[in-house]
Amino acid sequence: MIGLEDIIYIFVCGAMLTVSALGLESAVTTPSLSRWEKRFFSAFFSALALCSASFFLELVAFMQPELAVLRLMAYFIQSLCGSVAFPVLAVHLLHCCGEDWRRGTLTRIVFALWAVFIAMLVAAQFSNAFWEFGADGQVTFGPAYNLLVAPFLAMQLVTLAGALRRRAKLPRWRYRAILVCLVPVTIAVVIHMFIAPALTLIDFTLTLSVYSAYRSIVSDAIEQSLRQQRQIANQSASIAVLQMRPHFIYNTMTTVYYLCDQNPELAKQVTMDFTTYLRKNLAAIAGDDAIPFSDELEHARAYLAVEQAQFEDELLVSYDMPHTRFRVPPLTLQPLVENAVKHGMDPDAGPLHIWIQTRKTSSGSEIVVEDDGPGFDPAIADDPHTTLANIKERLRLMCDGRMSITPREGGGASVLVTIPHQE
């Protein structure tokens, strides 16, 4: 008769079989996985799927006592397939750390322990010293049972020690996944050996291992997708940089030309500001990560200084930035002020005033860019092909930031960029 413990056991093994099947399907179909990762996850999930499937074979034998040989076979398959995960995990650990697993001391030790375990497992099929099944179908562990489990436990401890030693070489999410694969099942085996039989607990922790491996695939796929989106957004920003407004370059060169006679010192300064602007543009093209806000501010200052030399009193800029110790995606502030100049300058409407502010909040950092120009067209702001849309997308992908554009009180536009707290 099936009791409560057997029902729990069935549920746990069913969950392991389900997650293993999902993981195996994901390992085969996920395009972002490398060939090596496909092989690893396929072997890992296949072994644990066979382990959990063999339980149902054992259940059939348990319901029909005359099939004792079938149950012995199922028990053998469970033990063998459950052990496969740990040599495979050791190989994967060395591969992720850039080490040759064929020459690694870790894999040599683990495979040696695995060979001892398999030899003892085979011997257990011909001796009652390890385990035997009673007339009621219940398993009884013999005096040599712990000798069989010892190399199984040693494999886990050696692999766990290898993971702890190499934690600096692993991405944080992968290191956590490996720990979830190893730590719970190791604790369960220790309890099973030295405190009380806990086969259900071992299967439950193996299910956690399967789930952790499955999450690794999902996390890798998500990370790959975000990386591709970030590359696309950065490429769009780079194209925008390379397509600098021709008349801006022409006007700058013309301004420098006339200033050489009228005000040589100012000509030198404009040349230096324009050089800084170009240098920051090229650096933004090459960069893929967030940069200090002070670097982005230098880029924006250089651009505005060049524009002020051309427009003189027609362009007024105010800075209020008590907080600058945070990071932003490259080409965040400079395109915003360039957009304000581009759409706000109107010789017939009087001087354009631009205000640039930063502030620290309880949730992170804020950048505010305001102007008193004619305002903005909401349709243009929402167009996915505009510079503003590109800034918004890169903020989301690179630092979980946000950007909003609203009418400014008194006329003009107000852009708010919010950057959450960063590590």
Side-chain angles (χ1 to χ4, degrees):
M1 182 177 178
I2 298 180
L4 178 60
E5 183 179 353
D6 295 316
I7 294 175
I8 295 174
Y9 198 28
I10 292 172
F11 174 78
V12 170
C13 291
M16 186 196 302
L17 181 60
T18 301
V19 180
S20 297
L22 288 173
L24 184 59
E25 187 269 339
S26 298
V28 173
T29 60
T30 301
S32 62
L33 293 180
S34 67
R35 198 161 113 190
W36 170 271
E37 289 174 319
K38 285 181 181 291
R39 289 177 177 176
F40 161 69
F41 284 117
S42 295
F44 185 85
F45 289 125
S46 296
L48 293 179
L50 285 173
C51 177
S52 51
S54 65
F55 166 76
F56 296 99
L57 186 64
E58 181 191 355
L59 182 63
V60 172
F62 176 75
M63 301 294 292
Q64 302 181 43
E66 67 273 12
L67 300 177
V69 176
L70 182 62
R71 189 172 190 196
L72 194 63
M73 183 187 303
Y75 212 69
F76 175 82
I77 295 173
Q78 284 182 45
S79 304
L80 178 62
C81 293
S83 68
V84 169
F86 300 100
V88 171
L89 193 60
V91 170
H92 184 63
L93 171 63
L94 294 188
H95 175 76
C96 291
C97 295
E99 302 178 34
D100 185 355
W101 66 269
R102 297 177 184 84
R103 300 179 181 179
T105 303
L106 174 64
T107 48
R108 289 176 181 175
I109 295 174
V110 171
F111 275 94
L113 290 169
W114 190 40
V116 172
F117 174 77
I118 292 175
M120 297 183 69
L121 184 62
V122 172
Q125 310 309 305
F126 307 98
S127 172
N128 292 334
F130 296 93
W131 64 64
E132 62 178 330
F133 296 103
D136 58 354
Q138 297 298 326
V139 63
T140 302
F141 300 116
Y145 180 73
N146 277 0
L147 291 177
L148 170 65
V149 183
F152 182 74
L153 175 62
M155 279 193 296
Q156 300 169 49
L157 293 174
V158 170
T159 308
L160 179 59
L164 293 172
R165 181 183 173 189
R166 293 167 176 81
R167 62 186 179 277
K169 297 181 179 180
L170 295 167
R172 185 178 301 176
W173 64 269
R174 193 181 294 277
Y175 175 65
R176 284 199 299 259
I178 291 175
L179 290 186
V180 173
C181 281
L182 288 169
V183 174
V185 70
T186 302
I187 294 173
V189 172
V190 170
I191 293 173
H192 180 66
M193 287 181 65
F194 302 109
I195 299 177
L199 289 175
T200 302
L201 181 61
I202 291 175
D203 281 329
F204 175 74
T205 52
L206 279 174
T207 303
L208 286 181
S209 297
V210 177
Y211 178 70
S212 176
Y214 177 65
R215 282 294 303 273
S216 293
I217 294 180
V218 175
S219 298
D220 186 76
I222 292 173
E223 179 65 24
Q224 178 70 13
S225 175
L226 290 175
R227 194 181 302 117
Q228 291 174 347
Q229 292 181 48
R230 191 179 302 159
Q231 288 173 350
I232 292 171
N234 286 339
Q235 288 170 0
S236 299
S238 299
I239 291 172
V241 167
L242 293 173
Q243 293 175 334
M244 288 184 296
R245 290 176 291 152
H247 73 272
F248 171 64
I249 301 175
Y250 172 78
N251 290 343
T252 301
M253 295 294 96
T254 302
T255 299
V256 171
Y257 174 80
Y258 285 111
L259 285 175
C260 287
D261 292 330
Q262 300 172 5
N263 191 337
E265 290 301 318
L266 183 56
K268 291 180 181 179
Q269 184 59 49
V270 173
T271 303
M272 183 59 65
D273 290 331
F274 189 60
T275 301
T276 300
Y277 167 77
L278 293 176
R279 176 168 52 83
K280 291 295 183 180
N281 271 9
L282 295 176
I285 294 174
D288 291 331
D289 299 322
I291 62 174
F293 174 73
S294 55
D295 288 355
E296 183 66 13
L297 177 60
E298 183 184 2
H299 192 186
R301 281 184 185 273
Y303 166 77
L304 288 170
V306 173
E307 292 284 32
Q308 285 181 301
Q310 297 179 36
F311 292 109
E312 297 181 343
D313 295 338
E314 295 299 313
L315 177 60
L316 307 174
V317 183
S318 298
Y319 298 93
D320 179 16
M321 290 169 295
H323 174 54
T324 59
R325 295 178 62 85
F326 58 97
R327 301 178 74 86
V328 296
L331 296 174
T332 296
L333 177 60
Q334 189 277 327
L336 290 179
V337 296
E338 182 174 350
N339 191 73
V341 173
K342 178 181 177 181
H343 296 286
M345 287 299 300
D346 184 356
D348 298 329
L352 173 68
H353 201 150
I354 297 176
W355 295 268
I356 305 174
Q357 305 172 0
T358 62
R359 52 188 176 234
K360 187 175 183 179
T361 67
S362 58
S363 59
S365 306
E366 291 183 348
I367 306 169
V368 181
V369 178
E370 294 184 325
D371 66 77
D372 59 358
F376 70 101
D377 184 351
I380 296 177
D382 294 334
D383 188 338
H385 302 292
T386 63
T387 299
L388 296 178
N390 182 267
I391 296 173
K392 184 181 296 186
E393 182 69 4
R394 286 186 295 112
L395 281 168
R396 181 183 67 84
L397 292 172
M398 299 179 70
C399 58
D400 197 27
R402 298 186 304 277
M403 185 181 79
S404 61
I405 308 173
T406 57
R408 173 181 170 272
E409 184 177 351
S414 176
V415 181
L416 172 63
V417 175
T418 303
I419 309 290
H421 281 304
Q422 303 155 338
E423 296 183 3

